[in-house]
Amino acid sequence: MKEKNIFIAGPCVIESAELLDTVAAEIVRINAELGTDIIFKASFDKANRTSLSSFRGPGMEKGLQMLADVKSKHGLRILTDIHESCQAAPVAEVVDVLQIPAFLCRQTDLLVAAAMTGKTVNIKKAQFLAAADMRYPVDKVRKTMQTSFPDMTDEEISNRIWLTERGNIMGYGNLVVDFRNIPEMQTLTQTVIMDCTHSVQRPGGGSGTTGGDRRFVPMMAKAAKAFGANGYFFEVHPDPDNGLSDAANMLELKRLKELIVNLN
């Protein structure tokens, strides 16, 4: 029996409680209709914004409370990213999946701290790394979990290490996806997810913001399916053009259900 696809969806950054509630309610509706278990994603801090003046989010303390409210009200599993090792333990008290941003996937202290929580760790592949190079971040997390949780089986540990493909740097201000990275990274761990929104970015292409083109999000997802991806990551927003982060890349919330139907 084929295992269910992993779906991760939510706004790029926590803008307001109202936005989180709107997106979470739609995800709950889709889960009920399709029998999916979409993981809710939102960031409490976007620490790698292009410009100092860019909106970053409410911060960890307030943001974690808002994510906890989503979890309590809607019963959804939660994913968020961390940027510093000191964030791992308190964030793990609220969320189900800790995400390591692509730019930070080689940061040993961050990976070790995430692994020591025992939570699932989703490591995004850096734009500057080949798929094969992700064996080193995976090894850091795996060995830390083996040491920290000696009663955990190798299979249980493997189930807690996810990798995410999000494209590679192509010259200046553009990304290209080599979909061979998906089966290549599946030799390192069994769960490889396609980040369908960040892979359409044009980094620094928006005069102080990250540009991109959301028209290609469905194509990225369908191509990843052909290469055997285990899951799909979508940043979604009811009004993405007015989103406060990654506005050019987020998918319209109303299009999420149809896309998931086509991928299952």
Side-chain angles (χ1 to χ4, degrees), residues 88-164:
V91 173
E93 293 180 7
V94 174
V95 309
D96 302 275
V97 183
L98 294 172
Q99 183 165 275
I100 307 299
F103 284 130
L104 301 177
C105 74
R106 291 169 54 116
Q107 297 298 104
T108 300
D109 289 347
L110 185 62
L111 292 163
V112 168
M116 288 179 67
T117 68
K119 295 287 185 174
T120 297
V121 180
N122 182 33
I123 314 169
K124 288 190 151 185
K125 181 182 72 63
Q127 301 91 323
F128 48 83
L129 288 181
D133 292 329
M134 292 304 292
R135 66 185 183 273
Y136 301 111
V138 168
D139 192 53
K140 291 173 183 178
V141 173
R142 178 176 286 121
K143 287 183 176 177
T144 300
M145 285 189 174
Q146 288 171 340
T147 301
S148 301
F149 305 97
D151 294 332
M152 198 179 291
T153 67
D154 289 342
E155 183 178 3
E156 288 172 329
I157 290 172
S158 183
N159 286 337
R160 285 169 168 78
I161 305 173
W162 298 354
L163 291 176
T164 292

Side-chain angles (χ1 to χ4, degrees), residues 161-227:
I161 305 173
W162 298 354
L163 291 176
T164 292
E165 167 62 29
R166 51 103 9 106
N168 283 86
I169 295 167
M170 180 66 175
Y172 296 106
N174 207 353
L175 298 174
V176 65
V177 177
D178 183 348
F179 288 97
R180 296 174 298 180
N181 288 341
I182 293 171
E184 179 94 14
M185 290 195 293
Q186 283 169 335
T187 67
L188 306 175
T189 194
Q190 59 193 35
T191 303
V192 175
I193 294 164
M194 182 67 206
D195 184 339
C196 305
T197 40
H198 288 97
S199 58
V200 303
Q201 281 183 336
R202 290 173 185 162
S207 299
T209 61
T210 293
D213 194 335
R214 73 174 65 92
R215 291 178 303 161
F216 299 112
V217 169
M219 291 83 152
M220 289 292 183
K222 292 170 186 175
K225 178 181 178 179
F227 278 83

